Amino acid sequence: MKNLLLTIFMVFFLCGSIFSQTFEISGKVVNGDNDIIPFANILLLSSKDSTFVKGTSADYNGYFILEEVLPDLYLLQASYIGRGSKPLALDIQKTVKLGALVIPTEAEILDEVVVTARRPTVERLADRLVFLVENTVVSQGSSWDILKGTPGVIVNQEDLQIRGQNANVYINDRKVQLSGQEVRDLLEGLSGVNIKSVEVIPNPPARYDAESGPILNIVTSKNILPGYKGSVNGTYTQSIYPKYSIGTSQYYKTEKLNVFANYTYNPKKTRKKIAKGVNYFDENNTIFSKWSSEDEDVQNSDAHNLNSTVDYEFNSSNSISLTSNILLNNNQVWQRNLSAEIANPENEIDSTFTTNNTGKKDNTNMAFDLSYEHRLKKPGAKIAVNGHYTKFNDNTTQNILSNYLDNTGGFLRDFGFQTDAFQNINIFTGQIDFSSPLGNASIETGVKVSSVDSESNIDFSNFLGSNENVNEALSDNYLYDEKVYAAYLSFVKNWDEFSIKLGVRGEYTEAMGNSLSLGETNTQQFFEPFPTVYFLYSPSENHSFAFDYGRNVDRPKYNDLNPFRYFFNENDFIEGNPTLQPNFTNNFNVNYTLNSEFFFDFYYRDNGNYISSLIFQDNETQILRELRQNVLKSTSYGFDFTVSKSVLDSWFLYAYTSFFYEDETFLAVESGNVEFTNKINGLYLYLANYLTLSGDGTLTGELAFSHMSKYLFGSYVQSPITNLTLGLRKSLWNNKAVISISAEDLLGKANGTYTSRYLNQDNFYFVQPETQFVKIGFTYNFGNFRLEDNQKGIDKKERDRLSKED
C-alpha cells in the first residue's frame, strides 16, 4: 500500500499546467452569391501537415469565433455539405478579424470522373493501428461488419481476436461491459455510418487498465453542425429458423446539447448441433469403452438493447457526458435433446441413453457512465473525471432427465435433477485524468479505483434416481469481492522523424473469494507495475518503423471462480475453480509500414501462467469435465502481413495473413498430473474486396474469404475452417435509404472439430451453429441525414501521431 501511495504522490507531483498567451480568429461564411451560410464548419489546420488543430461552427448569421489559438502558422477553411472554401494561410501573432470565407455555390464539375465512395485508409501509429472508414464503402454495413474487416482482427466463431487473444470492445474509449454474443448483437444493430474509425490496440498504453488485453476501440463521428437526424432499420435473416431485428437511431444537436440514442429489438430462435466422442482407457492404456453422442440445442431469446449518449457543454471550458447501455434479455429458454451410444472396443453397442435438458434464463445488464471534462487555460490541457456503474443479474433454471436403455432398447434406469442458479454483480469505478502538452511533448496521468461485488448461488434439487457425480452437496453460495487501486503516468515526445511514448501503471489489488458451503476462503493481495514503451521512426512519408512493449495482467472471470458445476448431462459438465490466480503477460511487437498500404509485424508474447479451459476425461468414472486452470507456461509468436490499398478507383483490397505459433504447458490432472505441452503452427488468411459497382457510387459489393489452418483452445486443437461471404448494398432516394443483402458460409466449412488427444485422453466435439444464412437489411434515414458529411475534412491524416489517444 505504501508503494501505491508513493506512486500516486509522484504522479500528481509531476502534474502541472503551463500558461501561454492565446488569440482569437473571427469572421463569417458566405457562398459565391454572398449569401450567408449558417452553421458551416470552421476548421483550423496546421500549416505543416494539414492536421486538425481545432474547430467550431458558424452561428445562424454565419459568424464564427475560434478562441484560445496559440501563435503559429495555420490554414483556415470553412466547409458545408461536402463543399469547402479555399484554405486561407494565417500567421497568428495577434487577434485576427477576417472578412468572409467563401464556399463556392456549386461544386466544380470534372469530366470523365467516376463517382465512388472514398476508400478506407489505414494509419500506423506507435501504439495502435487506425482503420479510417467514415464515408467509405466499408461504412455502409453494420458496426459488426466493420470490425470483422478491420486490419489485424481475426474472427473465430463468435470471438474477435488480435494476435491470438480475445479482444475487448470499447466505444469512444469506454469498455462495453457485455459478453461476446451480446457485443455482436449490439454492434449488428449499430449502423456503420456512425463510425469514424476503429483503433486496433494490441498493447494498450498506461491509461487503460492493465487487464484490458488487446482493444478494439470504436470511435464514432462527432458532428459539428446543429440539427436533427434519425434512422430506422430492420433485418431479416433466413437460416434454419427465420430471424429478424428492428431498430432506430436518433441524433439531435444544439449549440450546447448533443443527444444520441440507439435502440434494437432482436428476438430470435437458433439451433446448434453438437457431436461428441470419447474413448475411455483402462489401466493398460487400452480402449475399453467408446461413447458418442449427438445433441440438438434450440434456444429462444428476446433481447432489447438501448444505447444512449447525452453531452452538454456549459461553456468552452466545461462539459459533461452521460452514456448508458441497457440490455434486457429475459425469458430465454432452451431445449437440448441428446442421444448417446456406448460401445465396446469392437464398436458393438452395449447401451444407449437420452438426455432432455431444458432451461430458462433471465439476464439484465445495465451500465452507466458519467464524465466531466474541464479544459484549462493552457490550450490542450484538461482534467477529466469519470464515474461508472454496472449492474448485472443472471437467473437460470435447468432441468435434466436421462433415460438409460440396454442394447435391445430395454429400460435400465433413469436419473434427473434440477438446478437454480443466480449471479448478481455490481461494478463501481471512479477515475481522474489530467493531460497537458509540454511544447512538442505531452504528459497524461491519472488515478482510478474500482470495486467489484459478486454473489453467486446454485441449488440442486428434485432428484430422480441416484448418481454419485451429482448430489445436493454440490449446492453452494459464493461471494467474491475485489478492489483495485491504480495510478498511471504517460509521456509522449515528438521529433521530426521520431516519436516515443513511455508509460507506467501501478495497480494494487485486494480480492477475496468465499465459498459458504465449502467453508473455503481464497485471498489475493499484490502490487504490480505495468510498463509500456512505444517507439516510432518515420524517415519519410513512405516508410515507418515501430516497436512496442507492454506488460499486462489477466484476472480470472467471475464465473470461472465460482466452484460450481454446470451440467450438459450428469456425465458432462463445466467446473469452476476458486483457486485461479492472476496471470501476467509480456508482449513485444516490431512493425514496418510501407506507403501506409503494406504492414509487416512480428510479435512475441510470453503468456505466463495463462488461465485456460482444459477438458479432462476420467477413465474410471467415465465423466467428461471442462476445468479452468492456470497453465504452467505458454508462449505465442507470429508474423503478420497486411495489405490495405486501392487496386482500382472502384476496387479496394484488404488482405491479412498471419503465420503463428502457440503452445501451452499444463498439468494433465487425469494422467498422473504429468506435464504436457500442447502446441500448433498455424496460418490465418483473410481477403476482403470492397467494390463500387455503379458510376454514381450507389451500388457497392463485398466479397470476403477467410481460412484458419489450426487453432489452439487449451487442451483442444481446432481443425481447419474456411468461410466465404458475399454482400451487396444499394443506396436509394439520394442516400436516404440503403438496402442490403448478404450471404455467409457459402462453402459450409466455417465450423471445425476440436480434438483433445494425448496420453490417456482421447475425445472430440464438433459444434455447428447457424453459420449459413442469407440476411436482408433496410435502413431509412430522415431529418438532416447529411450531418456527418461535414466531418470529411477533419481527419486528412492522424492529428497528433502519439500525442493524443483519440
Side-chain angles (χ1 to χ4, degrees):
M1 192 69 180
K2 290 181 179 180
N3 291 333
L4 173 67
L5 295 175
L6 178 60
T7 302
I8 295 175
F9 175 78
M10 292 178 64
V11 164
F12 281 97
F13 180 77
L14 292 171
C15 294
S17 60
I18 303 173
F19 300 95
S20 60
Q21 190 174 9
T22 61
F23 304 102
E24 293 182 353
I25 303 173
S26 60
K28 69 175 181 178
V29 185
V30 299
N31 62 20
D33 299 325
N34 205 33
D35 297 324
I36 63 171
I37 300 180
F39 309 126
N41 290 334
I42 312 300
L43 310 175
L44 187 66
L45 311 173
S46 170
S47 64
K48 297 179 182 179
D49 52 13
S50 297
T51 54
F52 177 81
V53 177
K54 63 171 51 188
T56 187
S57 58
D59 62 18
Y60 181 78
N61 296 311
Y63 289 97
F64 67 88
I65 297 178
L66 281 168
E67 300 176 329
E68 299 180 354
V69 179
L70 285 170
D72 206 342
L73 296 174
Y74 298 101
L75 296 174
L76 184 69
Q77 186 179 30
S79 67
Y80 184 73
I81 310 298
R83 294 178 282 121
S85 66
K86 292 183 178 180
L88 176 64
L90 296 174
D91 183 4
I92 301 300
Q93 301 296 332
K94 61 180 181 179
T95 294
V96 175
K97 294 184 178 180
L98 301 171
L101 297 177
V102 181
I103 297 178
T105 303
E106 297 292 340
E108 183 179 358
I109 300 176
L110 303 177
D111 294 332
E112 297 183 359
V113 172
V114 177
V115 179
T116 62
R118 183 168 63 88
R119 74 178 189 270
T121 57
V122 181
E123 295 183 350
R124 181 74 195 198
L125 308 181
D127 64 345
R128 68 193 64 196
L129 184 145
V130 182
F131 188 39
L132 299 166
V133 299
E134 188 176 24
N135 297 319
T136 71
V137 63
V138 178
S139 67
Q140 299 306 308
S142 70
S143 300
W144 177 259
D145 294 330
I146 293 175
L147 286 190
K148 288 197 304 180
T150 296
V153 175
I154 293 175
V155 181
N156 197 353
Q157 303 297 330
E158 300 297 329
D159 295 331
L160 296 168
Q161 298 179 332
I162 300 174
R163 298 178 190 164
Q165 292 182 299
N166 287 344
N168 292 293
V169 175
Y170 281 58
I171 298 179
N172 294 326
D173 264 345
R174 299 298 177 196
K175 186 175 181 180
V176 179
Q177 302 282 355
L178 298 172
S179 69
Q181 182 59 52
E182 291 167 349
V183 167
R184 177 168 181 169
D185 291 341
L186 167 67
L187 297 179
E188 284 184 336
L190 183 63
S191 173
V193 299
N194 297 310
I195 294 184
K196 173 180 162 185
S197 62
V198 178
E199 299 176 340
V200 182
I201 314 175
N203 272 339
R207 71 183 302 267
Y208 293 95
D209 292 341
E211 64 175 328
S212 293
I215 288 174
L216 285 172
N217 183 38
I218 298 173
V219 181
T220 59
S221 301
K222 297 180 180 179
N223 301 295
I224 295 177
L225 186 66
Y228 164 77
K229 70 185 180 77
S231 69
V232 292
N233 61 80
T235 64
Y236 173 83
T237 302
Q238 182 60 55
S239 187
I240 302 299
Y241 297 110
K243 305 167 183 62
Y244 73 91
S245 70
I246 56 174
T248 180
S249 292
Q250 306 291 323
Y251 175 82
Y252 176 71
K253 187 182 188 305
T254 67
E255 192 171 326
K256 292 183 177 292
L257 181 66
N258 188 334
V259 180
F260 172 80
N262 182 80
Y263 167 75
T264 303
Y265 174 54
N266 186 22
K268 59 183 177 181
K269 183 178 182 180
T270 61
R271 190 199 74 174
K272 181 167 58 178
K273 283 194 170 183
I274 304 171
K276 287 189 176 184
V278 187
N279 290 326
Y280 287 107
F281 295 88
D282 59 22
E283 62 275 8
N284 298 318
N285 212 29
T286 300
I287 297 174
F288 75 91
S289 184
K290 297 182 177 182
W291 292 44
S292 60
S293 65
E294 292 185 354
D295 188 352
E296 183 178 76
D297 183 4
V298 178
Q299 298 191 22
N300 290 271
S301 61
D302 195 56
H304 301 260
N305 199 317
L306 174 64
N307 181 262
S308 65
T309 300
V310 179
D311 300 322
Y312 186 78
E313 188 169 346
F314 298 98
N315 49 48
S316 60
S317 299
N318 299 279
S319 61
I320 194 170
S321 177
L322 174 64
T323 300
S324 64
N325 184 271
I326 300 174
L327 173 66
L328 303 176
N329 198 352
N330 296 325
N331 298 315
Q332 302 175 61
V333 295
W334 74 82
Q335 180 167 342
R336 301 185 63 175
N337 294 312
L338 176 145
S339 59
E341 294 180 343
I342 303 174
N344 61 26
E346 288 72 36
N347 292 318
E348 298 171 339
I349 303 300
D350 288 334
S351 60
T352 64
F353 69 90
T354 60
T355 298
N356 181 251
N357 183 332
T358 60
K360 177 183 176 182
K361 176 192 287 282
D362 293 328
N363 180 270
T364 302
N365 192 332
M366 299 185 294
F368 303 94
D369 206 274
L370 181 64
S371 298
Y372 167 76
E373 183 176 291
H374 175 65
R375 291 172 286 281
L376 303 175
K377 291 184 178 180
K378 180 183 178 183
K382 63 181 181 180
I383 295 176
V385 181
N386 174 262
H388 175 88
Y389 172 64
T390 288
K391 177 71 173 178
F392 175 87
N393 290 318
D394 183 280
N395 293 275
T396 303
T397 301
Q398 180 181 229
N399 292 278
I400 294 178
L401 176 62
S402 296
N403 289 297
Y404 291 83
L405 309 174
D406 62 24
N407 58 359
T408 64
F411 177 79
L412 294 175
R413 63 183 179 90
D414 54 15
F415 179 72
F417 61 94
Q418 176 179 316
T419 64
D420 292 290
F422 74 83
Q423 183 168 37
N424 296 326
I425 301 175
N426 292 284
I427 302 174
F428 298 89
T429 69
Q431 184 167 346
I432 301 175
D433 299 287
F434 168 79
S435 60
S436 174
L438 297 173
N440 63 347
S442 66
I443 63 167
E444 187 175 25
T445 187
V447 294
K448 179 180 180 180
V449 177
S450 65
S451 174
V452 177
D453 178 16
S454 173
E455 180 181 3
S456 304
N457 184 83
I458 189 167
D459 289 320
F460 288 79
S461 61
N462 295 334
F463 286 94
L464 175 67
S466 62
N467 187 303
E468 61 183 21
N469 294 324
V470 188
N471 54 65
E472 292 186 23
L474 294 173
S475 301
D476 198 3
N477 186 261
Y478 186 73
L479 306 178
Y480 180 75
D481 294 302
E482 177 185 278
K483 291 180 174 59
V484 179
Y485 306 90
Y488 75 92
L489 176 64
S490 181
F491 173 80
V492 179
K493 175 71 174 178
N494 298 315
W495 294 271
D496 290 338
E497 298 178 347
F498 297 91
S499 297
I500 189 169
K501 183 172 185 176
L502 305 175
V504 64
R505 185 180 186 91
E507 291 192 355
Y508 175 76
T509 302
E510 291 180 342
M512 181 175 68
N514 185 10
S515 172
L516 300 184
S517 297
L518 299 178
E520 295 180 356
T521 300
N522 295 285
T523 60
Q524 299 172 15
Q525 191 171 9
F526 60 89
F527 175 84
E528 291 286 340
F530 300 96
T532 53
V533 177
Y534 308 93
F535 175 78
L536 180 66
Y537 171 56
S538 302
S540 69
E541 292 185 358
N542 297 327
H543 304 275
S544 71
F545 302 86
F547 167 80
D548 62 81
Y549 162 75
R551 184 173 187 259
N552 302 98
V553 63
D554 179 23
R555 293 184 174 90
K557 296 180 180 179
Y558 313 123
N559 280 340
D560 294 347
L561 288 166
N562 295 344
F564 302 161
R565 289 182 177 180
Y566 297 95
F567 286 85
F568 302 107
N569 58 67
E570 59 268 30
N571 308 298
D572 188 356
F573 54 85
I574 299 174
E575 188 172 53
N577 184 358
T579 65
L580 289 174
Q581 296 297 311
N583 168 60
F584 302 94
T585 64
N586 291 279
N587 307 277
F588 302 83
N589 185 72
V590 177
N591 167 266
Y592 167 64
T593 299
L594 174 64
N595 296 330
S596 295
E597 294 179 335
F598 303 94
F599 304 85
F600 305 84
D601 286 89
F602 176 78
Y603 69 89
Y604 174 83
R605 185 172 64 250
D606 176 7
N607 299 308
N609 305 120
Y610 178 71
I611 300 173
S612 186
S613 295
L614 305 174
I615 194 79
F616 297 110
Q617 63 187 63
D618 187 326
N619 290 301
E620 183 176 347
T621 60
Q622 298 181 52
I623 63 171
L624 193 67
R625 61 170 175 156
E626 183 179 333
L627 177 66
R628 303 299 193 268
Q629 180 176 294
N630 287 96
V631 302
L632 301 178
K633 60 181 180 179
S634 173
T635 56
S636 307
Y637 57 82
F639 172 74
D640 296 350
F641 173 60
T642 304
V643 178
S644 178
K645 67 181 284 104
S646 289
V647 181
L648 300 172
D649 288 338
S650 59
W651 178 13
F652 176 75
L653 171 68
Y654 165 63
Y656 172 48
T657 304
S658 179
F659 302 90
F660 58 88
Y661 168 84
E662 303 270 346
D663 69 43
E664 291 184 14
T665 301
F666 57 88
L667 282 179
V669 298
E670 295 294 347
S671 307
N673 279 324
V674 301
E675 294 184 13
F676 180 80
T677 301
N678 207 11
K679 56 186 176 182
I680 56 109
N681 291 291
L683 166 67
Y684 177 78
L685 174 64
Y686 182 80
L687 181 66
N689 301 272
Y690 300 97
L691 306 169
T692 303
L693 302 174
S694 63
D696 59 2
T698 60
L699 179 62
T700 61
E702 175 186 344
L703 179 65
F705 171 85
S706 65
H707 176 75
M708 175 83 77
S709 62
K710 286 184 178 180
Y711 203 74
L712 192 63
F713 282 93
S715 56
Y716 279 120
V717 175
Q718 175 192 283
S719 66
I721 57 174
T722 302
N723 194 7
L724 179 65
T725 65
L726 176 66
L728 292 171
R729 296 183 183 89
K730 174 66 176 177
S731 297
L732 306 169
W733 310 323
N734 196 22
N735 291 325
K736 283 187 177 181
V738 177
I739 186 169
S740 64
I741 183 170
S742 63
E744 295 211 14
D745 192 15
L746 294 174
L747 303 177
K749 297 181 178 180
N751 304 297
T753 300
Y754 300 81
T755 303
S756 181
R757 184 174 293 121
Y758 64 92
L759 303 174
N760 65 346
Q761 304 287 295
D762 187 0
N763 55 82
F764 78 90
Y765 76 92
F766 173 76
V767 180
Q768 187 178 25
E770 293 177 278
T771 51
Q772 283 189 302
F773 59 82
V774 175
K775 179 187 291 185
I776 300 174
F778 179 78
T779 300
Y780 180 75
N781 302 295
F782 49 87
N784 189 1
F785 66 94
R786 295 181 181 273
L787 282 175
E788 292 180 346
D789 291 343
N790 293 281
Q791 282 286 26
K792 285 183 180 178
I794 290 181
D795 267 338
K796 295 181 179 178
K797 59 182 289 188
E798 172 60 26
R799 297 179 184 177
D800 295 314
R801 306 290 287 174
L802 291 172
S803 63
K804 282 196 175 187
E805 299 292 347
D806 52 19

